[in-house]
């Protein structure tokens, strides 16, 4: 349904007269006639917001109208980026896997070619005790081969596992982000740690009869594209293949690392401390932090969980060289902070419930502090998709790094991505969102929050 069709549907449902709408919005009848006829779109997002308020739309109706407006208002490339961000925010980890059966498999002879059943048995057997597992895909793998690998590695294991999976590099940056998101379910099926890199081995392709390398500890399986036959290597031959690929990993244009526990991430946080970004963009469900511009210390937060405090201290170190932090949050989250009876900022497994009164006081303090702090640029997104998702937020640095935080009932995931093209495209998307009024300026965002606080009786 188009924007005009949806608008007419809501107007008819409320039985509003055109003259009353024009008086309330202070627009001419000719303008409203063109909008309702589908020949003109409102030039500002604020007009759509005023229309929704006038029509007393429900939250679901409001977001339907906004989605219809965005699809017609944005250029194609921006709509694609918007859709990619929606998919990232709406990503959920909800899968049930069965443990791998304990199997034994005789070790093939060095240099032997083995079949599909032997490949499966060998992988299952080695996964019981393996310390490291790496998968490198050179060209795009046929669906049959990909399905086979996913089936083999879809169950959790006690061993730390590394996945190296090819993500096709495309000229379309939004499509590139789509590709990364499409691989997330595969990545999250790994039991401990995920590494995903795209390497350019064009010079090697002409001589590579096996497009997939699977390294299990010191042994190597070189698989054909359909994953039904493989060459087994060990010893010096295996080390030579591992070294060949390892030498190229550092120059990979796309690097994704997934930590399945916050503790692991904190232990490795020192490697992320050298941040030279001038600007930081934090897109989250709700505003939760206040930094001091002079000391850059965390003044208050909505979490008492000690591990989370460590995480924020690590982020604070990353922010230390930034001249501007863009704290971007979802409009829907404000009412949730101010009125919800039960509120767990980052999930019940990571925090205790925060009382309504305590939340209101913390939020009041946050808005007051940020209002006079030049370091923080508040921005409110009039988008619904960060809500009701286990994607808690995305932190973006202008030096090309990105951190995605996800929380499930059983695990806390942190996904770090180093991809300057994707990061710059997201920043450009945010700038266009602000130009269209989807992302409010700091002044408008603070004013909106203050109005909400007054409505809740907080002064």
């Amino acid at each position: 349904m188009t924007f005009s069709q949806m608008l007419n549907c809501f107007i008819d449902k409320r039985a509003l007269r055109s003259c009353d709408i024009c008086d309330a919005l202070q627009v001419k009848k000719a303008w409203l006639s063109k909008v309702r006829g589908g020949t003109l779109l409102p030039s500002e997002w604020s007009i759509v917001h005023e229309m929704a308020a006038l029509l007393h739309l429900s939250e679901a109706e409001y977001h339907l109208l906004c989605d219809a407006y965005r699809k017609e208002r944005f250029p194609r490339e921006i709509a694609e980026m918007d859709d990619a961000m929606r998919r990232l925010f709406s990503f959920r980890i909800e899968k049930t896997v069965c443990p791998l059966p304990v199997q034994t498999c005789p070790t093939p002879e060095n240099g032997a070619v083995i079949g599909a059943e032997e490949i499966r048995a060998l992988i299952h057997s080695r996964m019981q005790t393996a310390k490291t597992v790496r998968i490198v895909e050179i060209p795009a793998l046929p669906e049959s081969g990909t399905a086979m690998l996913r089936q083999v590695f879809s169950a959790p294991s006690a061993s730390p596992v590394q996945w190296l999976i090819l993500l096709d590099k495309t000229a379309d940056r939004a499509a590139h982000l789509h590709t990364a998101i499409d691989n997330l379910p595969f990545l999250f099926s790994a039991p401990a740690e995920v590494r995903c890199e795209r390497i350019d081995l064009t010079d090697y392709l002409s001589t590579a009869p096996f497009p997939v390398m699977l390294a299990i500890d010191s042994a190597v399986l070189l698989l054909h594209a359909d994953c039904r036959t493989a060459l087994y290597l060990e010893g010096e031959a295996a080390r030579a293949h591992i070294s060949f690929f390892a030498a190229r990993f550092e120059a990979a244009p796309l690097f994704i690392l997934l930590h399945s526990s916050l503790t692991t991430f904190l232990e490795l946080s020192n490697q992320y401390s050298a941040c030279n970004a001038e600007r930081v963009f934090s897109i989250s469900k709700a505003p939760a932090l206040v930094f001091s511009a002079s000391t850059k210390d965390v003044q208050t937060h909505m979490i008492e969980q000690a591990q989370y405090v460590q995480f924020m201290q690590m982020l604070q170190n990353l922010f230390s060289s930034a001249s501007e932090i863009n704290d971007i949050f979802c409009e829907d989250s404000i009412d949730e902070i101010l009125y919800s009876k039960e509120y767990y900022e980052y999930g019940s497994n990571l925090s205790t419930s925060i009382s309504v009164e305590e939340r209101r006081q913390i939020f009041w303090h946050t808005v007051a502090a940020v209002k006079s702090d030049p370091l923080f640029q508040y921005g409110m997104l009039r988008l619904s998709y960060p809500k009701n998702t286990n994607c808690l937020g995305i932190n973006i640095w202008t030096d090309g790094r990105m951190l995605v935080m996800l929380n499930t009932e059983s695990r806390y995931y942190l996904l770090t991505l180093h991809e300057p093209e994707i990061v710059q495209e997201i920043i450009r998307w945010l700038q266009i969102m602000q130009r269209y009024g989807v992302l409010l300026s700091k002044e408008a965002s603070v004013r909106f929050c203050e109005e909400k606080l007054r409505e809740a009786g907080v002064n």
Side-chain angles (χ1 to χ4, degrees):
M1 191 178 290
T2 66
F3 173 79
S4 61
Q5 289 171 335
M6 194 167 295
L7 179 64
N8 285 327
C9 179
F10 291 140
I11 290 175
D12 294 340
K13 186 177 179 180
R14 268 68 175 183
L16 288 178
R17 298 183 305 173
S18 295
C19 58
D20 294 331
I21 297 174
C22 292
D23 290 342
L25 298 178
Q26 296 183 337
V27 297
K28 295 181 178 179
K29 289 184 179 180
W31 178 90
L32 181 61
S33 178
K34 290 180 180 178
V35 170
R36 296 191 65 175
T39 60
L40 180 69
L41 276 175
S43 59
E44 300 291 337
W45 189 272
S46 57
I47 299 176
V48 179
H49 192 69
E50 290 174 9
M51 284 179 169
L54 178 64
L55 293 168
H56 300 289
L57 299 185
S58 66
E59 182 179 322
E61 291 172 332
Y62 170 65
H63 291 307
L64 284 173
L65 187 66
C66 291
D67 287 344
Y69 177 73
R70 282 207 306 274
K71 288 178 182 177
E72 296 181 48
R73 188 75 177 95
F74 295 163
R76 183 190 62 82
E77 58 177 327
I78 302 305
E80 289 180 357
M81 193 65 197
D82 186 50
D83 181 56
M85 292 297 291
R86 179 192 302 274
R87 294 176 65 201
L88 180 58
F89 266 110
S90 61
F91 178 78
R92 306 188 69 85
I93 309 168
E94 295 173 345
K95 60 177 296 181
T96 303
V97 293
C98 300
L100 285 171
V102 177
Q103 299 185 18
T104 59
C105 176
T107 301
E109 293 184 8
N110 193 11
V113 176
I114 61 177
E117 293 304 316
E118 292 174 285
I119 293 171
R120 290 173 183 268
L122 181 64
I123 292 173
H124 282 193
S125 176
R126 295 298 180 92
M127 281 285 286
Q128 311 303 319
T129 58
K131 294 182 179 179
T132 60
V133 177
R134 291 179 174 177
I135 296 178
V136 180
E137 298 182 32
I138 305 172
L141 198 63
E143 182 56 35
S144 59
T146 305
M148 180 271 195
L149 287 177
R150 293 186 185 186
Q151 181 180 353
V152 171
F153 290 105
S154 63
S157 167
S159 61
V161 177
Q162 289 188 326
W163 301 79
L164 292 172
I165 304 169
L166 173 72
L167 296 185
D168 291 328
K169 191 79 171 179
T170 67
D172 188 331
R173 295 167 185 163
H176 190 192
L177 183 58
H178 275 274
T179 305
I181 296 168
D182 287 338
N183 277 274
L184 286 178
F186 192 16
L187 302 181
F188 281 109
S189 67
E193 185 177 286
V194 175
R195 289 177 66 87
C196 179
E197 301 187 39
R198 195 264 186 186
I199 53 180
D200 186 3
L201 296 178
T202 306
D203 58 333
Y204 182 71
L205 284 176
S206 60
T207 60
F210 303 99
V212 181
M213 182 189 80
L214 170 60
I216 307 176
D217 289 338
S218 59
V220 167
L221 279 174
L222 298 178
L223 288 85
H224 279 290
D226 60 3
C227 294
R228 299 190 62 81
T229 57
L231 177 67
Y232 177 81
L233 298 175
E234 59 184 19
E236 186 58 39
R239 286 192 290 274
H241 272 275
I242 292 174
S243 298
F244 180 86
F245 285 102
R248 288 157 174 79
F249 292 157
E250 301 241 349
L254 179 62
F255 173 70
I256 297 179
L257 176 61
L258 174 72
H259 305 277
S260 61
S261 74
L262 186 53
T263 301
T264 303
F265 183 81
L266 291 170
E267 290 173 352
L268 299 173
S269 63
N270 287 338
Q271 64 180 284
Y272 301 102
S273 61
C275 180
N276 299 315
E278 293 183 357
R279 301 173 70 196
V280 174
F281 295 81
S282 178
I283 312 171
S284 59
K285 288 183 180 181
L289 297 176
V290 175
F291 283 76
S292 165
S294 56
T295 65
K296 297 185 175 65
D297 291 331
V298 178
Q299 293 178 336
T300 187
H301 52 83
M302 291 190 177
I303 311 300
E304 297 299 329
Q305 212 271 348
Q307 198 179 49
Y308 184 76
V309 174
Q310 285 182 271
F311 173 57
M312 285 305 161
Q313 288 173 343
M314 186 277 298
L315 286 183
Q316 168 196 329
N317 293 332
L318 288 174
F319 291 163
S320 61
S321 62
S323 59
E324 182 180 301
I325 299 173
N326 295 264
D327 190 9
I328 299 163
F329 53 92
C330 178
E331 176 184 5
D332 295 334
S333 67
I334 307 302
D335 285 340
E336 188 176 356
I337 290 175
L338 295 175
Y339 298 107
S340 291
K341 293 181 180 179
E342 293 292 329
Y343 188 91
Y344 298 92
E345 172 66 12
Y346 278 84
S348 57
N349 60 316
L350 293 176
S351 67
T352 56
S353 181
I354 307 166
S355 70
V356 175
E357 185 58 34
E358 184 180 9
R359 292 199 306 267
R360 291 177 177 180
Q361 288 302 317
I362 292 174
F363 187 47
W364 176 86
H365 177 76
T366 300
V367 174
V370 167
K371 184 177 181 180
S372 58
D373 190 339
L375 179 68
F376 266 78
Q377 297 299 313
Y378 242 27
M380 190 179 73
L381 271 173
R382 283 175 165 161
L383 298 175
S384 61
Y385 49 77
K387 188 180 180 183
N388 299 325
T389 172
N390 57 16
C391 180
L392 306 176
I394 305 172
N395 289 291
I396 301 168
W397 291 263
T398 50
D399 66 352
R401 280 179 289 173
M402 187 167 83
L403 173 69
V404 181
M405 294 170 284
L406 298 116
N407 183 26
T408 67
E409 292 182 0
S410 59
R411 278 182 172 180
Y412 193 159
Y413 294 95
L414 294 125
L415 182 71
T416 61
L417 180 148
H418 183 244
E419 179 53 67
E421 286 188 356
I422 289 179
V423 167
Q424 291 304 316
E425 193 69 8
I426 292 176
I427 292 173
R428 189 171 77 92
W429 171 80
L430 286 170
Q431 292 169 340
I432 292 175
M433 293 296 103
Q434 187 166 26
R435 188 187 313 157
Y436 280 101
V438 181
L439 173 60
L440 298 186
S441 65
K442 176 178 179 176
E443 293 74 18
S445 300
V446 168
R447 188 163 58 247
F448 182 90
C449 293
E450 289 177 332
E451 291 173 358
K452 285 290 186 178
L453 283 163
R454 281 194 294 270
E455 290 174 7
V458 183
N459 296 311

